[in-house]
């Protein structure tokens, strides 16, 4: 940018500027203007001579007459100031390009060093904007952890450290496994998810006592012992080990990978100068930058999610901090394994060599955080420990924390409700609620995370051992953060038990963010989300990216989406909540398919684990159908396993049996998989078979067997089942012959929100073509007995946030094509259904009478919810119940009356 842009048109400003500024502006204009006829040659430029020509160029008179008498030295100083301003403007242009992402995630080192001299507020503002380019822009995280100091004996003697000690008489060097487990179990009971192992570096190489203790326990090295301790903690408590074991070679890093989800080693500084006599790292062989960088590289080679960072204020310069950041970035660019950077400020401690050293001001911490963000871009997780934050000059209690968020962090690190910070014992952990309040004050929301970040969990097979992955999945939610709630679909928790469990966990709101009773608001609503929702409300089709954005919402975005969905429900359906009185008949649990989510079906090897296989006779199917009609049902819902002896004729025989026993009952039966298999066994087309089924009395099809309509998921979840296109073909063909269907999704296992988005868009596109869907029924995955969960390949079902967002977003995405969104009381329980009725749902499905598929998976509820109880749930949330037919018509008065006075079911065999 030229100086003309800094000082535009002197004549327009002459009445505003003081004399010195006017003189400077004139000189600058003569020097740079490309259009002025009085511009002298730059090579012959003489500011004093030029100024003496003031009268010749007819310049307006100076306001201050003394100005004309100033010395040439003053003018030269002003010219230098101008040149400095021009240089700063050039830097600002480059910073603006960094801010906008024009230079990519990892900009050129020279440019970053150039902008590093700008004023702090410019850097922090740019850093915050770069952070907010990430998908999780409104989230700040922390890790609920326990701190396990396996040994405090270390061969290094850092000038600032009180953690490391030498051996003491009559005191063991190492914690016992019993002591380790006691801490870990207390942490698990309190809802922690991380076991942080921190220890002194290689004490056995310096102290004979350490070596002899290890030998007595059967270990050769400290690394061997920490590997065993981590294994025991993982397998006996489920806490996920994060190990800081010091400088290691590749073999030791690989050994710890077998029993941990992540490892860490602070680089601290790449400056070898700090190792000189009198420096903080003098006589500390493991603090040599080359050794530490080699360990970080070894972690990259072994594909270990890694934590590193800087310790600032120990005598290094700002340039040396940049050197350290670039050294870490070089390794990350090569291996992509650094999951977080810690920017930690030095705190002076008594009885150390640096007890009287000055601590860095918060501005130094902010500068380093901002530069780390500029160096590493939007995707890196950058952390600053909140218990070490220097005080701010502002008066508000949490202003320092907010200043760090505004400087570019997105994580607070580990916080423990059980153990102290053994490295900084003088600095207590903050209360989570206080941290949530400060985070909210900075326009963000606070979420608990795991010691491995979501982007690494999404590619778990690359970054973790299979034996470790299962523990991560058990502890995580669909977004990859910590599953810090006790509830899972299918669980029935009474209020006392639920309250007791909640006391032991981080207190979360429905959206998964930390509860903050003192905050008047939580974070900031995203303009992007507002625009997407408004488009959906007008009936426009959204993109996959837009739907995914809605499904991942937390904080104010979550609340806005939920409220918008419920307002749309009220506009479309009013205050009515419908339900149908029906009976489930699952005619066989024998199945030749190997769906990994199904605990209902029985194969050759499953009898002992889940009970005996069965096959209902046609007489029993007919009896149950007639009994259902007598109890007020208007529908039988029939599905079963793919029995190897079943053909298309079997399904026709079942229809005939039901219609003979209960001619007026609606038959809602046969999954798309059953239809596909039935047509294949008869050697006829789908269309021909569906017409035969319809002629035999079939009234509609359940849109089950959909699971998730994305073959990336189906290849693992149901590898031998019909694929996405085959499912869509069956449903579209059914609609074409006049058979309406429901639509479903079974979610919350090994899937992610972008899979759900694809599923919803498949349904919308099909409904746009056919109009054959009567409703959309999200089915939360019940995990307890599901094979995929027992094998360690699935999560513990969706969280309440997931369930609310699935139903709310479905209401928006499918509008105006699908008008009924159903809440499954079988999966959610009555309490969960109440939450969904405030999230866009207008239907509670069927009373069921005999539901066995969900109960086989381990659910506590599912047998039957009679009309009286169904209506009590609906009335309790201020809505109006209405009994309906399968196709949402009015139920005959006689059937309604019978449903409320029905006799108990005859026990089934």
């Amino acid at each position: 940018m030229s100086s003309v842009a800094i000082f535009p048109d002197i004549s327009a400003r002459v009445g505003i500027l003081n004399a010195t500024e006017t003189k400077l502006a004139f000189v600058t204009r003569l020097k740079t203007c490309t259009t002025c006829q009085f511009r002298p040659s730059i090579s012959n430029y003489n500011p004093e001579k030029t100024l003496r020509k003031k009268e010749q160029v007819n310049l307006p008179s100076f306001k201050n007459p003394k100005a004309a008498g100033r010395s040439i030295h003053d003018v030269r100083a002003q010219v230098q100031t101008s040149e400095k301003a021009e240089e700063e403007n050039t830097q600002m242009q480059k910073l603006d390009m960094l801010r906008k992402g024009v230079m990519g995630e990892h900009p050129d080192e020279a440019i970053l060093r150039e902008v590093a001299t700008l004023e702090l507020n410019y850097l922090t503002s740019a850093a915050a904007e770069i952070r907010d380019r990430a998908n999780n822009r409104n989230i700040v995280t922390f890790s609920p952890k326990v701190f396990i100091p396996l040994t405090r004996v270390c061969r290094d003697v850092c000038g600032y450290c009180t953690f490391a000690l030498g051996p003491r008489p009559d005191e063991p060097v190492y914690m016992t496994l019993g002591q380790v487990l006691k801490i870990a179990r207390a942490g698990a009971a309190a809802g922690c998810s991380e076991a942080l192992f921190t220890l002194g570096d290689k004490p056995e190489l310096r102290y004979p006592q350490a070596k002899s203790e290890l030998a007595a326990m059967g270990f050769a090295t400290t690394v061997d012992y920490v590997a065993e301790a981590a294994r025991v903690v993982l397998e006996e408590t489920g806490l996920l080990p994060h190990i800081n074991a010091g400088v290691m070679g590749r073999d030791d890093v690989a050994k710890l990978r077998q029993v941990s989800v992540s490892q860490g080693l602070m680089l601290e500084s790449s400056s070898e100068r700090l190792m000189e006599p009198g420096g903080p790292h003098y006589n500390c062989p493991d603090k040599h930058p080359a050794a530490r960088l080699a360990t970080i590289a070894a972690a990259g080679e072994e594909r270990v999610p890694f934590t590193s960072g800087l310790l600032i204020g120990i005598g290094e310069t700002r340039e040396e901090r940049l050197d350290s950041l670039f050294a870490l970035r070089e390794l990350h660019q090569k291996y992509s394994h650094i999951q977080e950077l810690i920017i930690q400020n030095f705190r002076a401690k008594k009885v150390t060599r640096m007890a009287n050293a000055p601590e860095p001001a918060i501005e130094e911490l902010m500068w380093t955080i901002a530069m780390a963000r500029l160096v590493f871009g939007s995707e890196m997780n950058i952390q600053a420990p909140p218990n070490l934050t220097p005080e701010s000059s502002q008066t508000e209690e949490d202003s320092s924390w907010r200043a760090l968020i505004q400087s570019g962090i997105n994580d607070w690190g580990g916080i423990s409700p059980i153990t102290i910070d053994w490295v900084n014992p003088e600095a207590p952990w903050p209360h989570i609620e206080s941290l949530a309040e400060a985070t909210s004050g900075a326009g963000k929301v606070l979420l608990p995370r795991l010691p491995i970040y979501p982007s690494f969990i999404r590619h778990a097979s690359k970054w973790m051992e299979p034996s470790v992955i299962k523990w991560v999945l058990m502890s995580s939610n669909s977004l990859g953060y910590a599953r810090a709630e006790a509830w899972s679909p299918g669980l029935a928790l009474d209020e006392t038990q639920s309250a007791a469990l909640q006391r032991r966990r981080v207190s979360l709101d429905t959206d998964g963010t930390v509860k903050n009773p003192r905050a008047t608001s939580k974070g900031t609503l995203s303009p992007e989300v507002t625009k997407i929702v408004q488009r959906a409300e007008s009936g426009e089709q959204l993109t996959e990216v837009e739907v995914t954005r809605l499904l991942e919402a937390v904080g104010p975005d979550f609340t806005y989406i939920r409220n918008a969905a419920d307002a749309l429900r009220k506009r479309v359906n009013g205050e009515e909540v419908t339900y149908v009185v029906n009976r489930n008949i699952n005619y066989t649990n024998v199945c030749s398919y190997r769906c990994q989510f199904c605990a209902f079906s029985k194969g050759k090897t499953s009898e002992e684990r889940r009970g005996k296989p069965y096959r209902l006779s046609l007489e029993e199917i007919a009896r149950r159908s007639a009994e259902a009609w007598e109890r007020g049902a208007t529908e039988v819902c029939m599905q079963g396993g793919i029995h190897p002896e079943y053909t298309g004729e079997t399904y026709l025989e079942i229809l005939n049996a039901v219609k003979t026993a209960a001619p007026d009952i609606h038959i809602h039966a046969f999954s798309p998989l059953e239809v596909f298999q039935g047509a294949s066994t008869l050697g006829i087309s789908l269309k021909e078979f569906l017409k035969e089924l319809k002629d035999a009395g079939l009234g509609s099809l359940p849109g089950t067997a959909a699971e998730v309509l994305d073959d990336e998921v189906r290849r693992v979840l149901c590898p031998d089942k019909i694929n996405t296109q085959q499912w869509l073909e069956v449903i579209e063909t059914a609609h074409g012959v006049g058979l309406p269907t429901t639509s479903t999704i079974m979610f919350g296992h090994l899937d992610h929100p972008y899979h759900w988005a694809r599923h919803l868009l498949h349904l919308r596109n099909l409904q746009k073509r056919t109009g054959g869907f009567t409703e959309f029924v999200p089915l939360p995955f019940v995990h307890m007995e599901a094979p995929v969960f027992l094998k360690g390949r699935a999560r513990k079902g969706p969280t309440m946030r997931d369930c609310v967002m699935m139903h709310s977003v479905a209401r928006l995405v499918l509008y105006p094509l699908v008008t009924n969104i159903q809440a499954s009381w079988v999966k959610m329980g009555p309490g969960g259904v109440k939450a969904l009725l405030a999230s866009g749902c207008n239907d509670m499905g069927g009373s069921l009478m005999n539901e066995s598929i969900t109960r086989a998976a381990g659910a506590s509820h599912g047998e039957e919810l009679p009309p009286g109880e169904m209506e009590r749930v609906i009335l309790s949330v201020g809505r109006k119940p209405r009994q309906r037919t399968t196709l949402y018509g009015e139920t005959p008065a006689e059937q309604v009356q019978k449903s409320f006075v029905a006799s108990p079911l005859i026990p089934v065999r």
Side-chain angles (χ1 to χ4, degrees):
M1 183 182 294
S2 73
S3 298
V4 174
I6 305 171
F7 302 103
D9 193 38
I10 295 171
S11 63
R13 300 185 58 174
V14 75
I16 301 172
L17 302 173
N18 62 40
T20 302
E21 289 173 320
T22 303
K23 190 183 299 181
L24 172 61
F26 174 62
V27 171
T28 305
R29 179 173 181 176
L30 287 178
K31 181 179 177 181
T32 61
C33 181
T34 58
T35 60
C36 179
Q37 60 179 314
F38 300 107
R39 179 178 182 271
S41 168
I42 297 298
S43 61
N44 299 321
Y45 172 63
N46 184 317
E48 184 174 17
K49 183 177 180 181
T50 304
L51 278 173
R52 288 171 182 166
K53 293 183 178 180
K54 177 170 77 78
E55 295 298 329
Q56 296 177 35
V57 297
N58 196 25
L59 192 70
S61 300
F62 290 122
K63 286 282 184 177
N64 182 352
K66 295 182 180 180
R70 295 194 60 165
S71 72
I72 187 60
H73 302 290
D74 294 331
V75 176
R76 285 176 177 154
Q78 294 302 321
V79 170
Q80 290 171 356
T81 302
S82 171
E83 291 172 345
K84 183 177 180 182
E86 186 170 357
E87 179 185 351
E88 182 174 307
N89 274 275
T90 301
Q91 291 172 308
M92 288 295 293
Q93 282 183 312
K94 293 178 180 178
L95 183 63
D96 192 53
M97 294 173 72
L98 294 172
R99 181 197 306 267
K100 294 176 180 177
V102 175
M103 298 183 179
E105 275 290 283
H106 298 148
D108 181 71
E109 178 178 336
I111 292 174
L112 290 165
R113 288 186 185 275
E114 184 178 348
V115 302
T117 60
L118 286 168
E119 290 182 19
L120 179 61
N121 63 309
Y122 296 148
L123 296 175
T124 56
S125 174
E129 190 169 328
I130 290 169
R131 174 202 55 209
D132 290 346
R133 289 205 306 260
N135 290 333
N136 57 348
R137 59 184 65 85
N138 63 336
I139 293 173
V140 175
T141 54
F142 75 100
S143 177
K145 73 175 182 182
V146 291
F147 197 129
I148 301 176
L150 191 65
T151 179
R152 294 180 63 188
V153 177
C154 181
R155 72 168 179 167
D156 298 311
V157 285
C158 300
Y160 45 77
C161 182
T162 58
F163 174 79
L165 304 170
R168 295 180 177 180
D170 303 320
E171 289 188 17
V173 170
Y174 297 93
M175 296 175 66
T176 66
L177 289 180
Q179 291 171 325
V180 168
L181 277 174
K182 183 178 180 180
I183 293 174
R185 286 173 177 144
C192 296
S193 51
E194 174 183 352
L196 170 62
F197 285 88
T198 295
L199 47 147
D201 213 317
K202 303 178 186 62
E204 69 274 19
L205 297 184
R206 181 169 182 172
Y207 300 107
Q209 181 182 342
K211 188 174 183 179
S212 63
E213 279 189 33
L214 287 171
M217 293 188 290
F219 301 102
T221 67
T222 298
V223 169
D224 292 339
Y225 184 45
V226 73
E228 176 62 12
R231 183 194 66 78
V232 170
V233 165
L234 180 65
E235 295 179 358
E236 297 200 20
T237 72
L239 293 189
L240 306 177
H242 172 83
I243 303 177
N244 295 335
V247 170
M248 294 181 289
R250 187 169 174 177
D251 289 346
D252 283 343
V253 169
K255 183 180 298 182
L256 296 183
R257 188 184 192 270
Q258 305 294 316
V259 292
S260 65
V261 299
S262 54
Q263 298 177 43
L265 179 70
M266 292 286 282
L267 173 59
E268 297 193 7
S269 176
S270 62
S271 174
E272 295 184 11
R273 184 177 55 80
L274 302 182
M275 301 196 67
E276 296 173 357
H281 292 158
Y282 177 65
N283 200 25
C284 301
D286 297 302
K287 290 302 173 84
H288 198 287
R292 299 179 87 76
L293 289 168
T295 299
I296 299 169
E301 291 165 350
E302 290 298 325
R303 294 181 298 178
V304 172
F306 208 76
T307 296
S308 193
L310 277 58
L311 178 61
I312 72 165
I314 56 173
E316 82 294 345
T317 65
R318 282 187 171 186
E319 278 296 315
E320 288 171 331
R321 287 182 216 160
L322 291 176
D323 292 341
S324 302
L325 289 172
F326 288 123
L328 289 171
R329 190 177 78 170
E330 183 178 352
L331 291 176
H332 182 60
Q333 287 175 314
K334 184 175 182 180
Y335 300 110
S336 302
H337 69 307
I338 297 179
Q339 62 168 353
E340 67 179 341
L341 284 176
I342 302 173
I343 307 300
Q344 181 173 326
N345 51 297
F346 161 73
R347 293 286 293 266
K349 298 174 177 62
K350 296 179 181 179
V351 306
T352 66
R353 287 188 284 117
M354 296 182 67
N356 298 317
E359 297 179 350
I362 191 169
E363 289 77 13
E364 284 300 306
L365 182 58
M366 292 167 64
W367 181 89
T368 312
I369 290 168
M371 289 309 304
R373 177 62 68 194
L374 267 60
V375 169
F376 279 88
S378 61
E379 297 301 323
M380 179 57 67
N381 300 292
I382 297 180
Q383 171 197 135
N387 60 321
L388 305 180
T389 307
E391 291 185 3
S392 168
S393 58
Q394 299 182 39
T395 57
E396 293 90 344
E397 180 183 3
D398 59 2
S399 61
S400 295
W401 289 338
R402 284 189 280 112
L404 300 188
I405 294 175
Q406 291 159 357
S407 299
I409 69 164
N410 67 313
D411 184 72
W412 291 118
I415 298 175
S416 178
I418 300 296
T419 54
I420 64 170
D421 180 350
W422 281 96
V423 175
N424 300 281
E426 78 288 352
W429 304 113
H431 290 292
I432 298 299
E433 291 78 9
S434 299
L435 204 58
E437 185 175 12
T439 303
S440 177
K444 308 294 180 184
V445 293
L446 185 63
L447 264 71
R449 64 163 173 85
L450 303 177
I452 179 170
Y453 280 83
S455 60
F456 289 82
I457 295 176
R458 282 194 290 271
H459 304 283
S461 60
K462 175 181 178 180
W463 296 105
M464 290 178 284
E465 294 295 318
S467 59
V468 173
I469 291 174
K470 69 175 184 178
W471 298 102
V472 172
L473 292 176
M474 287 174 62
S475 302
S476 63
N477 62 24
S478 67
L479 302 181
Y481 298 110
R483 186 192 188 92
E485 63 183 48
W487 178 82
S488 286
L491 288 179
L493 297 173
D494 62 45
E495 292 184 5
T496 304
Q497 186 182 14
S498 181
L501 283 168
Q502 196 62 42
R503 281 196 300 270
R504 298 199 301 268
R505 284 165 166 77
V506 176
S507 184
L508 301 183
D509 280 328
T510 305
D511 67 342
T513 61
V514 174
K515 281 187 177 179
N516 180 17
R518 293 180 289 180
T520 55
S521 63
K522 182 187 284 189
T524 304
L525 178 63
S526 305
E528 175 191 6
V529 166
T530 305
K531 291 177 182 177
I532 296 172
V533 169
Q534 288 172 347
R535 288 186 57 224
E537 289 172 325
S538 67
E540 292 184 45
Q541 176 149 336
L542 304 180
T543 66
E544 179 186 323
V545 171
E546 289 172 326
V547 179
T548 303
R549 179 76 177 87
L550 299 184
L551 288 165
E552 292 178 342
V554 297
D557 294 342
F558 169 92
T559 304
Y560 177 76
I561 293 166
R562 185 180 190 178
N563 291 343
D566 208 46
L568 184 57
R569 179 273 309 163
K570 186 174 182 179
R571 196 169 92 203
V572 173
N573 308 100
E575 296 295 349
E576 193 174 78
V577 177
T578 52
Y579 67 96
V580 62
V581 177
N582 65 352
R583 182 170 196 169
N584 266 26
I585 300 176
N586 304 121
Y587 31 75
T588 183
N589 65 352
V590 176
C591 188
S592 57
Y593 284 76
R594 297 178 290 108
C595 298
Q596 293 299 295
F597 60 86
C598 185
F600 171 73
S601 67
K602 303 296 182 287
K604 294 180 179 179
T605 63
S606 60
E607 182 174 335
E608 290 184 7
R609 185 161 63 87
R610 295 195 298 268
K612 295 181 178 180
Y614 71 83
R615 175 180 178 178
L616 296 182
S617 66
L618 292 176
E619 293 76 17
E620 177 61 15
I621 294 171
R623 186 198 70 78
R624 294 188 187 189
S625 300
E627 183 182 32
W629 181 259
E630 290 304 314
R631 297 183 82 244
T634 57
E635 170 196 306
V636 285
C637 177
M638 300 191 297
Q639 298 179 87
I642 306 300
H643 196 293
E645 297 177 8
Y646 277 20
T647 68
E649 287 295 336
T650 308
Y651 300 116
L652 293 168
E653 291 169 359
I654 289 172
L655 291 173
N656 182 61
V658 172
K659 278 300 179 182
T660 301
D664 295 326
I665 205 162
H666 180 99
I667 302 178
H668 180 68
F670 312 139
S671 71
L673 177 60
E674 291 175 287
V675 172
F676 190 88
Q677 185 257 0
S680 298
T681 60
L682 297 179
I684 61 177
S685 69
L686 288 171
K687 185 175 181 179
E688 290 174 300
F689 185 51
L690 284 163
K691 281 184 175 180
E692 289 190 24
L693 293 174
K694 184 180 179 183
D695 292 341
L698 182 64
S700 58
L701 270 72
T704 52
E707 323 324 342
V708 176
L709 294 175
D710 188 278
D711 290 337
E712 181 178 281
V713 174
R714 300 178 78 83
R715 278 192 291 270
V716 178
L717 195 66
C718 44
D720 52 354
K721 209 169 193 174
I722 55 175
N723 61 32
T724 297
Q725 289 307 314
Q726 289 170 328
W727 187 94
L728 292 169
E729 180 187 3
V730 173
I731 294 294
E732 186 162 8
T733 306
H735 292 174
V737 302
L739 284 171
T741 74
T742 62
S743 57
T744 67
I745 183 173
M746 195 268 291
F747 67 104
H749 30 79
L750 47 85
D751 48 352
H752 298 287
Y754 68 89
H755 296 121
W756 308 343
R758 294 171 185 171
H759 184 106
L760 289 173
L761 292 174
H762 277 308
L763 297 183
R764 181 185 170 96
N765 290 332
L766 180 53
Q767 181 73 341
K768 193 173 182 179
R769 294 195 299 271
T770 69
F773 287 132
T774 56
E775 69 230 65
F776 176 59
V777 189
L779 301 171
F781 171 63
V782 176
H783 73 280
M784 284 74 79
E785 295 294 330
V788 70
F789 174 77
L790 297 176
K791 293 175 182 177
R793 302 180 72 181
R795 302 188 300 276
K796 296 166 70 173
T799 62
M800 185 59 75
R801 188 215 72 87
D802 296 337
C803 293
V804 168
M805 280 296 93
M806 175 60 76
H807 291 77
S808 294
V809 173
R811 167 65 70 181
L812 295 165
V813 171
L814 299 177
Y815 174 76
L817 304 175
V818 178
T819 57
N820 299 301
I821 307 296
Q822 184 182 121
S824 172
W825 66 265
V826 181
K827 314 289 185 180
M828 300 292 297
V833 163
K834 291 179 183 180
L836 299 184
L837 289 177
S839 307
C841 292
N842 69 297
D843 187 75
M844 281 186 62
S847 58
L848 300 185
M849 298 189 191
N850 292 112
E851 200 288 327
S852 53
I853 293 176
T854 302
R855 290 185 66 82
S860 302
H861 29 258
E863 285 288 347
E864 182 177 18
L865 193 65
E869 292 183 33
M870 188 86 76
E871 295 202 356
R872 275 193 290 274
V873 172
I874 295 168
L875 290 168
S876 71
V877 295
R879 303 275 284 281
K880 300 174 184 178
R882 179 177 74 85
Q883 202 172 119
R884 64 167 173 87
T885 64
T886 304
L887 303 181
Y888 287 81
E890 291 296 326
T891 304
E894 181 184 355
Q895 290 302 100
V896 173
Q897 184 178 0
K898 287 195 295 185
S899 72
F900 279 93
V901 294
S903 301
L905 285 165
I906 296 174
V908 297
R909 297 187 297 275

